[in-house]
Amino acid sequence: MNPIKPSDISILVLQLSEGCERSFSLLFDFFAPKILNTAKKMGLAQEDAEELQQEVFLVIWKNRAQLKADLSFNAYLLTILKSMMIKKAQAKARKVAYEKYSLKMFQEETR
């Protein structure tokens, strides 16, 4: 497989926006390691980073018709990753707060 050149990315994004699965596969192969490594650098474990990597590309596939070839695909991927990490952190914080609240309420009820 030939490596993708930066000049090829906008062409692949345009083809992806038209539903080309091969372009999606090439973009995935090119950008997936970067998304994975970025997620790990942001503190995620390998398994969580891999899950997030898949979710990022699922968003890309679902929204492929709205992709704009003239915008930075790399920046778009990183924005999706950042947004997902924030949502996951917020969900985790809510869960921890709920568990603490539930424990406190349980302890008060058992007194």
Side-chain angles (χ1 to χ4, degrees):
M1 182 173 109
N2 294 334
I4 296 176
K5 294 177 273 186
S7 58
D8 297 336
I9 293 172
S10 61
I11 295 166
L12 291 171
V13 170
L14 179 61
Q15 292 170 344
L16 172 58
S17 71
E18 296 167 352
C20 179
E21 292 179 19
R22 184 175 183 281
S23 294
F24 177 79
S25 180
L26 290 170
L27 288 166
F28 179 88
D29 291 343
F30 186 76
F31 284 103
K34 180 175 186 170
I35 295 300
L36 180 66
N37 290 331
T38 302
K40 287 173 28 182
K41 285 180 185 176
M42 296 174 91
L44 291 181
Q46 177 74 24
E47 186 176 298
D48 293 334
E50 288 173 1
E51 180 181 330
L52 210 56
Q53 173 193 50
Q54 295 295 319
E55 290 177 22
V56 166
F57 282 95
L58 181 60
V59 168
I60 293 294
W61 181 253
K62 286 181 176 180
N63 297 315
R64 65 190 175 277
Q66 287 78 41
L67 292 174
K68 298 188 181 353
D70 57 331
L71 298 178
S72 172
F73 188 69
N74 184 59
Y76 185 54
L77 290 171
L78 293 175
T79 300
I80 294 169
L81 175 64
K82 178 183 170 187
S83 175
M84 287 182 163
M85 290 194 70
I86 289 170
K87 286 179 185 177
K88 285 191 180 287
Q90 289 171 336
K92 186 175 182 179
R94 281 192 300 273
K95 181 180 178 187
V96 168
Y98 175 76
E99 288 171 351
K100 285 183 180 181
Y101 174 77
S102 294
L103 180 61
K104 181 180 177 185
M105 295 304 292
F106 177 75
Q107 288 172 343
E108 289 177 5
E109 288 176 4
T110 57
R111 287 186 186 165

mmCIF file of all heavy atoms in Angstrom, residues 58-90:
data_model
loop_
_atom_site.group_PDB
_atom_site.id
_atom_site.type_symbol
_atom_site.label_atom_id
_atom_site.label_comp_id
_atom_site.label_asym_id
_atom_site.label_seq_id
_atom_site.Cartn_x
_atom_site.Cartn_y
_atom_site.Cartn_z
ATOM 1 N N LEU A 58 -16.575 6.152 13.476
ATOM 2 C CA LEU A 58 -17.996 5.894 13.278
ATOM 3 C C LEU A 58 -18.729 7.215 13.037
ATOM 4 O O LEU A 58 -19.594 7.309 12.158
ATOM 5 C CB LEU A 58 -18.583 5.162 14.493
ATOM 6 C CG LEU A 58 -20.060 4.798 14.409
ATOM 7 C CD1 LEU A 58 -20.332 3.871 13.222
ATOM 8 C CD2 LEU A 58 -20.506 4.137 15.703
ATOM 9 N N VAL A 59 -18.364 8.242 13.790
ATOM 10 C CA VAL A 59 -18.942 9.572 13.580
ATOM 11 C C VAL A 59 -18.615 10.065 12.172
ATOM 12 O O VAL A 59 -19.481 10.616 11.478
ATOM 13 C CB VAL A 59 -18.438 10.575 14.648
ATOM 14 C CG1 VAL A 59 -18.799 12.006 14.279
ATOM 15 C CG2 VAL A 59 -18.998 10.216 16.009
ATOM 16 N N ILE A 60 -17.373 9.866 11.759
ATOM 17 C CA ILE A 60 -16.969 10.268 10.405
ATOM 18 C C ILE A 60 -17.841 9.574 9.366
ATOM 19 O O ILE A 60 -18.359 10.204 8.446
ATOM 20 C CB ILE A 60 -15.471 9.953 10.148
ATOM 21 C CG1 ILE A 60 -14.577 10.821 11.030
ATOM 22 C CG2 ILE A 60 -15.111 10.109 8.673
ATOM 23 C CD1 ILE A 60 -14.623 12.294 10.726
ATOM 24 N N TRP A 61 -18.017 8.273 9.513
ATOM 25 C CA TRP A 61 -18.802 7.523 8.529
ATOM 26 C C TRP A 61 -20.262 7.992 8.526
ATOM 27 O O TRP A 61 -20.850 8.199 7.469
ATOM 28 C CB TRP A 61 -18.718 6.023 8.785
ATOM 29 C CG TRP A 61 -19.495 5.248 7.771
ATOM 30 C CD1 TRP A 61 -20.677 4.604 7.962
ATOM 31 C CD2 TRP A 61 -19.165 5.084 6.386
ATOM 32 N NE1 TRP A 61 -21.100 4.041 6.777
ATOM 33 C CE2 TRP A 61 -20.188 4.318 5.792
ATOM 34 C CE3 TRP A 61 -18.099 5.506 5.592
ATOM 35 C CZ2 TRP A 61 -20.188 3.961 4.454
ATOM 36 C CZ3 TRP A 61 -18.093 5.153 4.253
ATOM 37 C CH2 TRP A 61 -19.124 4.396 3.697
ATOM 38 N N LYS A 62 -20.831 8.173 9.695
ATOM 39 C CA LYS A 62 -22.231 8.588 9.778
ATOM 40 C C LYS A 62 -22.454 9.984 9.192
ATOM 41 O O LYS A 62 -23.519 10.258 8.644
ATOM 42 C CB LYS A 62 -22.717 8.569 11.227
ATOM 43 C CG LYS A 62 -22.944 7.184 11.770
ATOM 44 C CD LYS A 62 -23.452 7.251 13.201
ATOM 45 C CE LYS A 62 -23.773 5.885 13.745
ATOM 46 N NZ LYS A 62 -24.258 5.942 15.141
ATOM 47 N N ASN A 63 -21.456 10.852 9.325
ATOM 48 C CA ASN A 63 -21.589 12.235 8.862
ATOM 49 C C ASN A 63 -20.821 12.501 7.575
ATOM 50 O O ASN A 63 -20.511 13.646 7.253
ATOM 51 C CB ASN A 63 -21.125 13.200 9.957
ATOM 52 C CG ASN A 63 -21.973 13.108 11.192
ATOM 53 O OD1 ASN A 63 -23.189 13.065 11.110
ATOM 54 N ND2 ASN A 63 -21.335 13.049 12.344
ATOM 55 N N ARG A 64 -20.522 11.437 6.839
ATOM 56 C CA ARG A 64 -19.666 11.579 5.654
ATOM 57 C C ARG A 64 -20.237 12.545 4.620
ATOM 58 O O ARG A 64 -19.490 13.246 3.945
ATOM 59 C CB ARG A 64 -19.404 10.216 5.025
ATOM 60 C CG ARG A 64 -20.617 9.528 4.468
ATOM 61 C CD ARG A 64 -20.319 8.083 4.073
ATOM 62 N NE ARG A 64 -21.494 7.374 3.636
ATOM 63 C CZ ARG A 64 -22.377 6.795 4.427
ATOM 64 N NH1 ARG A 64 -22.206 6.848 5.737
ATOM 65 N NH2 ARG A 64 -23.416 6.161 3.932
ATOM 66 N N ALA A 65 -21.538 12.620 4.486
ATOM 67 C CA ALA A 65 -22.143 13.496 3.473
ATOM 68 C C ALA A 65 -21.907 14.975 3.770
ATOM 69 O O ALA A 65 -21.954 15.806 2.859
ATOM 70 C CB ALA A 65 -23.637 13.216 3.360
ATOM 71 N N GLN A 66 -21.651 15.302 5.036
ATOM 72 C CA GLN A 66 -21.426 16.705 5.407
ATOM 73 C C GLN A 66 -19.948 17.110 5.403
ATOM 74 O O GLN A 66 -19.627 18.260 5.688
ATOM 75 C CB GLN A 66 -22.005 16.983 6.805
ATOM 76 C CG GLN A 66 -23.515 17.040 6.865
ATOM 77 C CD GLN A 66 -24.166 15.670 6.859
ATOM 78 O OE1 GLN A 66 -23.679 14.756 7.511
ATOM 79 N NE2 GLN A 66 -25.242 15.523 6.120
ATOM 80 N N LEU A 67 -19.058 16.172 5.092
ATOM 81 C CA LEU A 67 -17.628 16.491 5.102
ATOM 82 C C LEU A 67 -17.294 17.512 4.030
ATOM 83 O O LEU A 67 -17.850 17.483 2.931
ATOM 84 C CB LEU A 67 -16.796 15.224 4.882
ATOM 85 C CG LEU A 67 -16.811 14.199 6.001
ATOM 86 C CD1 LEU A 67 -16.053 12.943 5.578
ATOM 87 C CD2 LEU A 67 -16.224 14.766 7.271
ATOM 88 N N LYS A 68 -16.383 18.393 4.369
ATOM 89 C CA LYS A 68 -15.924 19.415 3.426
ATOM 90 C C LYS A 68 -14.448 19.169 3.128
ATOM 91 O O LYS A 68 -13.607 19.236 4.023
ATOM 92 C CB LYS A 68 -16.144 20.801 4.004
ATOM 93 C CG LYS A 68 -17.625 21.093 4.247
ATOM 94 C CD LYS A 68 -17.843 22.510 4.639
ATOM 95 C CE LYS A 68 -19.265 22.879 4.910
ATOM 96 N NZ LYS A 68 -20.307 21.984 4.660
ATOM 97 N N ALA A 69 -14.157 18.889 1.877
ATOM 98 C CA ALA A 69 -12.806 18.529 1.470
ATOM 99 C C ALA A 69 -11.819 19.685 1.620
ATOM 100 O O ALA A 69 -10.615 19.457 1.738
ATOM 101 C CB ALA A 69 -12.810 18.036 0.020
ATOM 102 N N ASP A 70 -12.322 20.926 1.637
ATOM 103 C CA ASP A 70 -11.418 22.071 1.723
ATOM 104 C C ASP A 70 -11.017 22.412 3.166
ATOM 105 O O ASP A 70 -10.163 23.247 3.392
ATOM 106 C CB ASP A 70 -12.041 23.297 1.050
ATOM 107 C CG ASP A 70 -13.385 23.686 1.635
ATOM 108 O OD1 ASP A 70 -14.098 22.789 2.133
ATOM 109 O OD2 ASP A 70 -13.729 24.878 1.580
ATOM 110 N N LEU A 71 -11.627 21.718 4.147
ATOM 111 C CA LEU A 71 -11.265 21.949 5.542
ATOM 112 C C LEU A 71 -10.306 20.857 6.019
ATOM 113 O O LEU A 71 -10.227 19.787 5.431
ATOM 114 C CB LEU A 71 -12.522 21.958 6.412
ATOM 115 C CG LEU A 71 -13.546 23.045 6.089
ATOM 116 C CD1 LEU A 71 -14.764 22.916 6.995
ATOM 117 C CD2 LEU A 71 -12.940 24.433 6.214
ATOM 118 N N SER A 72 -9.629 21.129 7.108
ATOM 119 C CA SER A 72 -8.642 20.190 7.638
ATOM 120 C C SER A 72 -9.321 18.954 8.229
ATOM 121 O O SER A 72 -10.007 19.041 9.254
ATOM 122 C CB SER A 72 -7.785 20.867 8.706
ATOM 123 O OG SER A 72 -6.964 19.919 9.340
ATOM 124 N N PHE A 73 -9.119 17.817 7.597
ATOM 125 C CA PHE A 73 -9.682 16.567 8.088
ATOM 126 C C PHE A 73 -9.031 16.191 9.412
ATOM 127 O O PHE A 73 -9.707 15.711 10.335
ATOM 128 C CB PHE A 73 -9.483 15.464 7.040
ATOM 129 C CG PHE A 73 -10.190 14.193 7.353
ATOM 130 C CD1 PHE A 73 -11.575 14.121 7.314
ATOM 131 C CD2 PHE A 73 -9.484 13.052 7.672
ATOM 132 C CE1 PHE A 73 -12.240 12.938 7.604
ATOM 133 C CE2 PHE A 73 -10.138 11.857 7.956
ATOM 134 C CZ PHE A 73 -11.520 11.806 7.920
ATOM 135 N N ASN A 74 -7.751 16.428 9.530
ATOM 136 C CA ASN A 74 -7.022 16.147 10.764
ATOM 137 C C ASN A 74 -7.621 16.937 11.928
ATOM 138 O O ASN A 74 -7.868 16.373 13.003
ATOM 139 C CB ASN A 74 -5.546 16.494 10.579
ATOM 140 C CG ASN A 74 -4.712 16.140 11.780
ATOM 141 O OD1 ASN A 74 -4.655 14.998 12.199
ATOM 142 N ND2 ASN A 74 -4.068 17.143 12.356
ATOM 143 N N ALA A 75 -7.867 18.219 11.738
ATOM 144 C CA ALA A 75 -8.449 19.054 12.787
ATOM 145 C C ALA A 75 -9.852 18.573 13.148
ATOM 146 O O ALA A 75 -10.239 18.579 14.320
ATOM 147 C CB ALA A 75 -8.484 20.513 12.343
ATOM 148 N N TYR A 76 -10.612 18.137 12.149
ATOM 149 C CA TYR A 76 -11.958 17.621 12.378
ATOM 150 C C TYR A 76 -11.898 16.371 13.255
ATOM 151 O O TYR A 76 -12.652 16.236 14.213
ATOM 152 C CB TYR A 76 -12.628 17.339 11.036
ATOM 153 C CG TYR A 76 -14.074 16.916 11.117
ATOM 154 C CD1 TYR A 76 -15.014 17.680 11.804
ATOM 155 C CD2 TYR A 76 -14.513 15.765 10.492
ATOM 156 C CE1 TYR A 76 -16.345 17.299 11.867
ATOM 157 C CE2 TYR A 76 -15.844 15.375 10.545
ATOM 158 C CZ TYR A 76 -16.754 16.147 11.238
ATOM 159 O OH TYR A 76 -18.065 15.771 11.297
ATOM 160 N N LEU A 77 -10.982 15.462 12.942
ATOM 161 C CA LEU A 77 -10.825 14.247 13.749
ATOM 162 C C LEU A 77 -10.455 14.573 15.190
ATOM 163 O O LEU A 77 -11.023 14.006 16.130
ATOM 164 C CB LEU A 77 -9.734 13.347 13.144
ATOM 165 C CG LEU A 77 -10.048 12.663 11.831
ATOM 166 C CD1 LEU A 77 -8.792 12.006 11.273
ATOM 167 C CD2 LEU A 77 -11.149 11.642 11.994
ATOM 168 N N LEU A 78 -9.516 15.484 15.353
ATOM 169 C CA LEU A 78 -9.076 15.837 16.704
ATOM 170 C C LEU A 78 -10.176 16.551 17.486
ATOM 171 O O LEU A 78 -10.299 16.378 18.700
ATOM 172 C CB LEU A 78 -7.806 16.681 16.646
ATOM 173 C CG LEU A 78 -6.575 15.940 16.120
ATOM 174 C CD1 LEU A 78 -5.395 16.886 15.978
ATOM 175 C CD2 LEU A 78 -6.220 14.752 16.990
ATOM 176 N N THR A 79 -11.011 17.325 16.802
ATOM 177 C CA THR A 79 -12.138 17.989 17.449
ATOM 178 C C THR A 79 -13.157 16.967 17.932
ATOM 179 O O THR A 79 -13.681 17.068 19.046
ATOM 180 C CB THR A 79 -12.803 18.993 16.487
ATOM 181 O OG1 THR A 79 -11.826 19.979 16.109
ATOM 182 C CG2 THR A 79 -13.992 19.675 17.126
ATOM 183 N N ILE A 80 -13.433 15.969 17.103
ATOM 184 C CA ILE A 80 -14.348 14.900 17.501
ATOM 185 C C ILE A 80 -13.778 14.159 18.709
ATOM 186 O O ILE A 80 -14.494 13.893 19.684
ATOM 187 C CB ILE A 80 -14.601 13.919 16.340
ATOM 188 C CG1 ILE A 80 -15.345 14.620 15.207
ATOM 189 C CG2 ILE A 80 -15.388 12.702 16.814
ATOM 190 C CD1 ILE A 80 -15.402 13.807 13.920
ATOM 191 N N LEU A 81 -12.495 13.831 18.659
ATOM 192 C CA LEU A 81 -11.840 13.124 19.766
ATOM 193 C C LEU A 81 -11.949 13.935 21.057
ATOM 194 O O LEU A 81 -12.334 13.408 22.102
ATOM 195 C CB LEU A 81 -10.373 12.852 19.423
ATOM 196 C CG LEU A 81 -9.533 12.218 20.525
ATOM 197 C CD1 LEU A 81 -10.039 10.822 20.862
ATOM 198 C CD2 LEU A 81 -8.067 12.170 20.114
ATOM 199 N N LYS A 82 -11.631 15.204 20.981
ATOM 200 C CA LYS A 82 -11.683 16.075 22.158
ATOM 201 C C LYS A 82 -13.102 16.126 22.725
ATOM 202 O O LYS A 82 -13.305 15.994 23.935
ATOM 203 C CB LYS A 82 -11.208 17.482 21.789
ATOM 204 C CG LYS A 82 -11.274 18.475 22.914
ATOM 205 C CD LYS A 82 -10.852 19.846 22.435
ATOM 206 C CE LYS A 82 -11.143 20.916 23.465
ATOM 207 N NZ LYS A 82 -10.888 22.253 22.948
ATOM 208 N N SER A 83 -14.072 16.292 21.865
ATOM 209 C CA SER A 83 -15.468 16.356 22.293
ATOM 210 C C SER A 83 -15.892 15.059 22.987
ATOM 211 O O SER A 83 -16.547 15.078 24.041
ATOM 212 C CB SER A 83 -16.362 16.625 21.084
ATOM 213 O OG SER A 83 -17.714 16.570 21.439
ATOM 214 N N MET A 84 -15.507 13.937 22.409
ATOM 215 C CA MET A 84 -15.855 12.643 23.012
ATOM 216 C C MET A 84 -15.180 12.450 24.363
ATOM 217 O O MET A 84 -15.784 11.920 25.290
ATOM 218 C CB MET A 84 -15.478 11.503 22.067
ATOM 219 C CG MET A 84 -16.370 11.398 20.885
ATOM 220 S SD MET A 84 -15.878 9.987 19.868
ATOM 221 C CE MET A 84 -17.342 9.811 18.882
ATOM 222 N N MET A 85 -13.947 12.885 24.476
ATOM 223 C CA MET A 85 -13.238 12.734 25.748
ATOM 224 C C MET A 85 -13.879 13.607 26.828
ATOM 225 O O MET A 85 -14.007 13.187 27.974
ATOM 226 C CB MET A 85 -11.757 13.063 25.584
ATOM 227 C CG MET A 85 -11.039 12.000 24.769
ATOM 228 S SD MET A 85 -9.265 12.088 24.863
ATOM 229 C CE MET A 85 -8.972 11.570 26.532
ATOM 230 N N ILE A 86 -14.297 14.803 26.452
ATOM 231 C CA ILE A 86 -14.975 15.684 27.411
ATOM 232 C C ILE A 86 -16.285 15.057 27.857
ATOM 233 O O ILE A 86 -16.599 15.027 29.051
ATOM 234 C CB ILE A 86 -15.197 17.087 26.801
ATOM 235 C CG1 ILE A 86 -13.854 17.818 26.674
ATOM 236 C CG2 ILE A 86 -16.183 17.899 27.634
ATOM 237 C CD1 ILE A 86 -13.906 19.093 25.867
ATOM 238 N N LYS A 87 -17.061 14.529 26.919
ATOM 239 C CA LYS A 87 -18.335 13.894 27.266
ATOM 240 C C LYS A 87 -18.121 12.700 28.185
ATOM 241 O O LYS A 87 -18.875 12.500 29.143
ATOM 242 C CB LYS A 87 -19.084 13.467 26.001
ATOM 243 C CG LYS A 87 -19.693 14.621 25.244
ATOM 244 C CD LYS A 87 -20.399 14.136 23.993
ATOM 245 C CE LYS A 87 -20.901 15.312 23.175
ATOM 246 N NZ LYS A 87 -21.525 14.873 21.925
ATOM 247 N N LYS A 88 -17.112 11.892 27.903
ATOM 248 C CA LYS A 88 -16.827 10.730 28.749
ATOM 249 C C LYS A 88 -16.390 11.162 30.151
ATOM 250 O O LYS A 88 -16.791 10.560 31.142
ATOM 251 C CB LYS A 88 -15.765 9.844 28.108
ATOM 252 C CG LYS A 88 -16.310 9.024 26.942
ATOM 253 C CD LYS A 88 -15.327 7.973 26.516
ATOM 254 C CE LYS A 88 -15.845 7.161 25.372
ATOM 255 N NZ LYS A 88 -16.909 6.234 25.743
ATOM 256 N N ALA A 89 -15.585 12.213 30.231
ATOM 257 C CA ALA A 89 -15.137 12.712 31.539
ATOM 258 C C ALA A 89 -16.322 13.261 32.331
ATOM 259 O O ALA A 89 -16.420 13.038 33.544
ATOM 260 C CB ALA A 89 -14.074 13.788 31.354
ATOM 261 N N GLN A 90 -17.222 13.965 31.657
ATOM 262 C CA GLN A 90 -18.404 14.496 32.336
ATOM 263 C C GLN A 90 -19.299 13.365 32.827
ATOM 264 O O GLN A 90 -19.823 13.421 33.949
ATOM 265 C CB GLN A 90 -19.185 15.420 31.401
ATOM 266 C CG GLN A 90 -18.486 16.727 31.128
ATOM 267 C CD GLN A 90 -19.157 17.544 30.041
ATOM 268 O OE1 GLN A 90 -19.864 17.025 29.179
ATOM 269 N NE2 GLN A 90 -18.927 18.850 30.070
#
